[in-house]
Amino acid sequence: MSNRIFAGNPSSRRLARVLALLAIGLVAWLWPAAWRYVLPALSPHVAVCSAVSLRFASMLFLLSAPMLFLMILRHRFWCRHLCPVGLITETCGKLRRGRKVDDERHTIGKHIRIPSSTGRFLALASLGGSVVGYPLFLWADPLALFSGFCTFSQASAVGLAIVILISIASPGLWCSRICPLGGTQDLMVRLARPNTRGSRNTEVSQRRIFLAAALGAVFSALIPADVLARKRHLRPPGTVDETALKGGCIRCGNCTRSCPSGIIEPSVDSRDVAGFLVPRLKFSRTDYCLEDCNRCGHACPTGVIRPLPLRDKNRHVIGIARIDLSECLLTMDAECGVCVPRCPHGAIVEQFSRQSYTTTLKVIAEKCNGCGACVGICPTKVVTVEAV
Amino acid sequence: MESLSRRSFLRKIALAGATALGPGIVGAGQIYEGSKIVEAERVYRGGPAIIVDGKVIQPRREVPVICETDVLVVGGGCAGVMSALAAARTGAKVTLVERYGCFGGLWTAGLVLIVLATHVEADQGLKKCVRGIGDELLNRLLKIKGGIINQGPGMRDPTSDPEATKYVMAEMLSEAGVEILLNSWVTNAVMEGNSIEGILFESKAGCHAVKAKVVVDASGDGDVFGAAGAEHVRHIHRIGLVHRLGNVDRIAASKSGDKRSSPNLSSNTPLPSVRWVNMQGPQGDCLDIRTLTQCELDGRRAVWEKLKNIQQTPGREQVFMLDTASQLGIRASRTLTGLHEVTFDETMANKKYADVVAIGGAYAFVGNRACQIPYRALVPLKIDNLLATGRCVAADNLMLNYTRLIGPCLVTGHAAGTAAALAVDSKCRPRDADVAKLQRLLKAQGAYLG
């Protein structure tokens, strides 16, 4: 199968690659920010499952349309010529050239045999899961994995690293059997063009399709709302609820890369296992969620961070600032109070008591959106933003 | 005024002027000096104000020019004293006008005794940012017994004694040959078009003018650029009243109760038995006289209430009120809209300015960071022959909490004085001053410019 995927006239393949690279270069030149956002949005697998899951389609959804047509017209053309993960796995597979490898064995180790329908199953289970709002394996989309790797944070590279290890252990296994995007293509070809060569190779009975999807849906529905979540993190502004976020986020890292403040990081926390690599906010001394920015929402290919207009984004409550007055300098009559002018929303006010002739600080909950501007400036680090 | 036609108004003004010419020399005449009667100095008021149609009209009159000078520094606080010293040492003829009878402003009269933001932490210990004339002043205080603490190698953010500071400042000004006018409250600017030509001030001797080639506004409140019509920003900030407590060394530690519940005894001073106590106070418009009056009254009462609590705490019966500040702790009132604004974001980004003239040290909310202040933050947008310095330099409403500290005021004061003298020397407007030359001069005078 892997041979079939990577088969074809070598010269035409080379030409296609050169053209693809040129096209990528052209897009990058015309729209420099493209590389940050576009890649995961190209996947119809991600686009469809996200749209079903969130009952919402962002503008980025449109990017997957040409890919959808391509995938139906030329089965696995994407995998052969354009997919960056395909290129990587193929290269990794060649590392084994010196050794005798049974390409068609498709096992990991000696005994674990991977069925050829794994990719299709993953795609269907995700689709089924997305019906109940928890697309199970969306994060395994190769473009999401590759995009996550491009975030250049150690944890986000885990996915692609595993794919590479699989490909070294068993060349071609990922692309031909596991990849859910590949599985999606197999399914689509079968549905759109039932009598082509590609579809004959990917026989799936209607019953099995239904079963896989139903299994995904049931499993997703049974998953407790927050799997092993003992800690609530702050999420980027405009995110959907925690469960939908953890299920729907493909961990592509678009939001992390789009944030001009650099406060969005992939979460790695043993207290929040289901939220592994899901974006969370971490404020620094000067960096907070800027009141003139809503880029993360527009960069998110799935819509778990909703693309809100600026005004709505600023109204979205990330959390509420809390000041520990027992350690607050101003409350101790020391010279401070800088969080008051720092707050872009006028949510922190001084409260002067004529009785004691002292000043304390108060957060006006209705005005605070948890942007975190006050967190970094506090010299004694007593201001925090708490999730609500 | 609407009911009054222009012509009849002018006629009445002229009438008022005419009547003023007679008794315009009110207070002039003869005076007893011991047993002799001699000719007295005139008190220049141009006659009393009169009522015209129920409105109080000031007499229109010529104001006598008490002196003409190269550089006029308004305000004898830390920035003003630095400006006057710097300008005089750069070679200009300098006049310093101060509303109190002493120098130091909020540092001494306001009892804000700590000189903050003097150093930054570097790899090899502390690095001094406040150098030059400011550091010279601090080191002279060190020579006086009980003059200053935490000054010297390995120490930062010193606290000085207010009386020692007043004394040393006066000594340094006299040595530099600065002409000093004390007890003189600057009330207005003298303008010719967009250019400031001098100021008016009120004193016991009435109203006088000082003419100057360059005016340095070190009033803190920006009184001069406010009067001159320069663009500026008004601020509402906390108004406190600092006081000092005595006999703090007689607190019986064994008897005093829980430390947390005990009243705030704040910070050490060079006097071992004395502490100075900061106050935040209510927010208010520092240019509103009713607000200021209320703050004085309330603040002093609050301080006495606190003292009562202290004295009722076991072991603290001996603590007494040494003094309350004679100047309210005004934190911010006006800041200049300068050619460049010192902003928090730029400071955090460690922005370096080609026209840096002052660098302050580390402070709580800016962290361990040497903060640059560019020359443009001292120069008004439109008004010529005027420089602002001290806490009214152009800064956003976060950074004004930095530029108002004594450390930064010492360095911006130094810079403004040297710049004013340089502008006079090169016969140009301060905005056209050669910044490279200014920086060379400042470095020669010991200033740290990175």
Side-chain angles (χ1 to χ4, degrees), chain B residues 332-390:
Chain B
S333 44
R334 289 191 193 96
T335 53
L336 182 75
T337 306
L339 296 177
H340 187 90
E341 189 179 67
V342 178
T343 65
F344 181 70
D345 291 338
E346 285 189 357
T347 307
M348 283 295 124
N350 292 315
K351 175 133 183 180
K352 305 268 182 286
Y353 302 101
D355 61 338
V356 57
V357 288
I359 295 182
Y363 178 60
F365 77 91
V366 292
N368 184 38
R369 180 174 272 103
C371 305
Q372 297 209 344
I373 298 164
Y375 180 55
R376 285 165 295 155
L378 278 50
V379 183
L381 281 183
K382 287 202 203 99
I383 307 298
D384 278 324
N385 297 343
L386 180 64
L387 288 171
T389 187

Side-chain angles (χ1 to χ4, degrees), chain B residues 76-78 80-82 84-85 89 96 98 100-105 107-108 133 137 140-141 144 161-182:
Chain B
C78 54
V81 169
M82 288 303 115
L85 287 171
R89 289 181 187 188
L96 174 60
E98 161 59 33
Y100 296 133
C102 62
F103 298 108
W107 187 356
T108 58
I133 305 179
L137 168 68
R140 277 183 73 151
L141 282 165
I144 294 178
D161 181 75
E163 294 307 320
T165 311
K166 289 176 193 174
Y167 166 65
V168 171
M169 281 178 161
E171 287 299 299
M172 288 174 80
L173 287 166
S174 302
E175 287 162 20
V178 174
E179 185 179 355
I180 297 164
L181 288 166
L182 291 175

